[in-house]
Amino acid sequence: MRKFKEKFIGDRAFYATVLAILVPMVIQNVVTNFVSMLDNIMVGRLGTAQMNGVSIANQFIFIFNITIFGAIAGPTIFGAQFYGKQDHEGQKQTVRFRILMALVITVIFALIYMIFAEPLLSLYIAKDDDPLMIAETLRYGKEYMRIIMVSLLPFAVGQAYASVVRECGETKVPMYGSMAAVFVNLILDYGLIFGKLGMPKMGVAGAAIATVVAKFIEAAVVIVWAHRTPERNRYIVGLYKGFAINPHLLVQMIRRGTPLLINEFLWVVGVSVVSQCYSIRGLDVVGGRNIANVITNLFGVVYIQIGSATSIILGNKLGAGKMEEARDTDNKLLLFSIIVSITVSVAMLPFVYIFPQLYNTTDEIRALASYIILITAVAMPMWAYTNTCYFTLRSGGRTGLTFLFDFVFAWAFQIPLCYFLSYHTDMNFKLLFAIITYTEIVKVILGYFMVRSDLWVQNIVDKEEV
């Protein structure tokens, strides 16, 4: 027991350090997701077609968001380690690369969404649904998508800045940015969706406009703070005096970052493919999953941010050459993530039946949403463990392993199984959903052995002699 405690339980100073990084990130994302939840509920009060249209459109915004995270993940690995060894010039060059990647990806996705909006939205609508409901869902989805695309640019650039601010240990500023943004978002949602506070009643379009304004505010807070405090953000000095990047560093960021970008893109596309497979079971499934995902995302913020904190903490230690300390820290973080996620799962249970009642939809959709919330609550500790494993592997630059960890599991196992059960069997959707959700146990086993191998324990900025 004593050995177990020494290996997996940290002291008070350890948890104080973890919580100092983690809590502002959790607050930031809880506030953001809470307002997204209220936004979703307000749209859901308009009707099922509006709710489904916005939900489907947000599937594609989600793909963009995760792709941005993947694009900046590679240079962030280097940035965290540069910060650990106090190499501000190296860190500055990683920021330049992040901004460039964010801009390029934004242009590509904006063009795709502008040209192919209707065909993409149609992928999530079963052809045997009510024709009127199909037409209404498509109409509201296109209306929302046309406006929400404006938010792609501030989100992308804002995330590039927020990633470097966080890797320096400053997690409060992005939190303040999100809090300011969500306050404005909430006010505009209420006013523009329902025509309150002297604003025009715009319904779905109003929800989209509110989100766009909020994204600009969120990005502005972080960007302005970074440039106005150069003494705390040494990388910002001369950031835009030329956009030169050391060729060797550029090659290494591309080499290690490309698998992460591809992995994140294919992972999120895989999530969307699974959603598409579910959606052929009808718009009731789309509606039920939309309601359930809102509350699951709100509670899931905690384990997701533990993963992000893991990447920052381990990256700084590896960059400083503290290999044994990094191993020891990771053991404690893995157990911490499981214990916290079990607590969060229990806290979700009262919402299983209460939350779906907030929506103006059918009893069938509410019942299905309750079931999905219950299944995902039970699965959350598994997701917490695999998420922390993923960020552990990523902190040491083992992007090839992370690619195998996510991509192979999703595309070689989970997606084919979901496709087969959805398209080629008459299996009840509830059983189908439970089977696909709990395939995560396979990933838990893979993550255990990958982390235990210690292949991730390396200092890439010294190794690559950047």
Side-chain angles (χ1 to χ4, degrees):
M1 187 65 184
R2 185 177 176 182
K3 231 175 168 183
F4 176 87
K5 186 176 179 180
E6 288 176 357
K7 186 173 183 179
F8 294 104
I9 307 295
D11 57 19
R12 185 173 295 181
F14 170 81
Y15 291 111
T17 300
V18 172
L19 292 175
I21 294 174
L22 177 62
V23 171
M25 294 166 66
V26 169
I27 292 174
Q28 173 194 352
N29 284 273
V30 165
V31 171
T32 300
N33 278 275
F34 181 72
V35 175
S36 294
M37 178 183 75
L38 295 178
D39 181 23
N40 193 278
I41 292 171
M42 283 189 266
V43 171
R45 298 299 299 173
L46 296 174
T48 301
Q50 290 92 329
M51 179 181 71
N52 286 344
V54 171
S55 172
I56 294 171
N58 276 328
Q59 287 277 348
F60 298 100
I61 301 302
F62 179 60
I63 292 175
F64 170 78
N65 291 349
I66 297 300
T67 304
I68 288 294
F69 293 145
I72 64 179
T76 297
I77 295 171
F78 285 87
Q81 294 203 12
F82 277 131
Y83 180 76
K85 64 183 292 190
Q86 294 299 294
D87 183 344
H88 304 298
E89 181 58 34
Q91 193 179 23
K92 179 191 302 180
Q93 295 184 43
T94 71
V95 179
R96 288 172 175 167
F97 188 65
R98 284 177 245 201
I99 294 170
L100 286 172
M101 289 295 293
L103 292 174
V104 169
I105 290 171
T106 298
V107 170
I108 292 171
F109 272 81
L111 289 173
I112 291 172
Y113 291 163
M114 282 168 45
I115 298 170
F116 301 107
E118 184 165 340
L120 289 172
L121 294 169
S122 298
L123 290 173
Y124 289 82
I125 301 176
K127 293 180 174 56
D128 55 355
D129 269 310
D130 176 55
L132 180 60
M133 180 62 75
I134 291 174
E136 289 290 283
T137 299
L138 271 176
R139 180 167 72 85
Y140 288 120
K142 286 191 292 183
E143 181 181 11
Y144 185 83
M145 178 75 88
R146 186 173 62 251
I147 299 169
I148 202 68
M149 283 195 302
V150 180
S151 72
L152 301 186
L153 180 61
F155 176 83
V157 177
Q159 288 304 311
Y161 271 85
S163 66
V164 68
V165 167
R166 289 193 190 100
E167 76 194 22
C168 297
E170 180 51 76
T171 54
K172 291 182 180 178
V173 172
M175 177 187 74
Y176 296 146
S178 289
M179 292 177 73
V182 296
F183 175 75
V184 172
N185 194 2
L186 184 58
I187 298 299
L188 291 179
D189 269 338
Y190 180 67
L192 293 174
I193 292 174
F194 301 114
K196 305 292 185 179
L197 306 175
M199 301 181 201
K201 183 177 180 179
M202 301 180 70
V204 165
I209 292 170
T211 301
V212 169
V213 173
K215 292 301 179 186
F216 273 102
I217 291 173
E218 184 176 18
V221 169
V222 178
I223 293 169
V224 170
W225 179 84
H227 283 276
R228 293 193 63 168
T229 54
E231 69 283 356
R232 298 183 62 181
N233 300 281
R234 300 283 296 279
Y235 59 86
I236 215 76
V237 179
L239 179 63
Y240 293 108
K241 289 182 179 177
F243 233 65
I245 301 174
N246 180 292
H248 180 70
L249 174 59
L250 179 63
V251 169
Q252 296 308 322
M253 286 193 291
I254 292 172
R255 183 170 72 86
R256 292 186 182 274
T258 299
L260 279 176
L261 172 58
I262 295 173
N263 177 71
E264 293 291 320
F265 177 73
L266 291 178
W267 174 81
V268 72
V269 170
V271 170
S272 296
V273 170
V274 169
S275 295
Q276 194 278 329
C277 290
Y278 290 153
S279 71
I280 69 162
R281 297 302 180 97
L283 284 171
D284 280 4
V285 170
V286 174
R289 291 192 70 239
N290 171 65
I291 294 171
N293 286 345
V294 171
I295 197 71
T296 301
N297 291 342
L298 179 64
F299 281 87
V301 158
V302 179
Y303 82 78
I304 291 171
Q305 295 310 314
I306 290 175
S308 299
T310 296
S311 182
I312 293 169
I313 294 167
L314 295 183
N316 289 166
K317 291 187 182 300
L318 293 172
K322 300 175 181 178
M323 305 305 176
E324 276 305 316
E325 197 173 327
R327 282 192 192 90
D328 180 64
T329 298
D330 188 57
N331 287 332
K332 294 174 172 58
L333 286 170
L334 283 166
L335 182 62
F336 177 70
S337 70
I338 295 171
I339 292 172
V340 171
S341 65
I342 291 172
T343 305
V344 171
S345 294
V346 172
M348 272 184 69
L349 295 180
F351 294 89
V352 169
Y353 297 104
I354 296 172
F355 186 71
Q357 303 306 315
L358 299 174
Y359 287 79
N360 178 25
T361 188
T362 64
D363 290 338
E364 290 78 11
I365 290 177
R366 292 193 193 99
L368 185 57
S370 293
Y371 174 82
I372 295 171
I373 294 169
L374 178 62
I375 293 297
T376 53
V378 175
M380 197 165 284
M382 290 191 296
W383 293 337
Y385 181 80
T386 56
N387 185 62
T388 306
C389 287
Y390 172 83
F391 280 99
T392 295
L393 298 171
R394 206 175 87 172
S395 68
R398 287 296 185 181
T399 54
L401 284 179
T402 59
F403 182 79
L404 292 174
F405 186 50
D406 266 1
F407 173 77
V408 173
F409 168 76
W411 287 90
F413 177 61
Q414 189 179 59
I415 292 171
L417 178 62
C418 186
Y419 179 84
F420 174 77
L421 295 178
S422 297
Y423 280 88
H424 299 291
T425 75
D426 295 324
M427 181 180 289
N428 177 275
F429 174 75
K430 290 183 177 181
L431 178 59
L432 164 63
F433 181 79
I435 289 172
I436 298 305
T437 299
Y438 295 136
T439 56
E440 189 74 12
I441 190 64
V442 175
K443 202 172 177 184
V444 168
I445 297 169
L446 288 173
Y448 172 79
F449 285 106
M450 284 184 170
V451 170
R452 194 179 179 188
S453 71
D454 282 348
L455 290 171
W456 57 274
V457 184
Q458 60 174 353
N459 181 328
I460 57 173
V461 294
D462 284 346
K463 183 178 178 181
E464 303 293 353
E465 298 179 343
V466 177

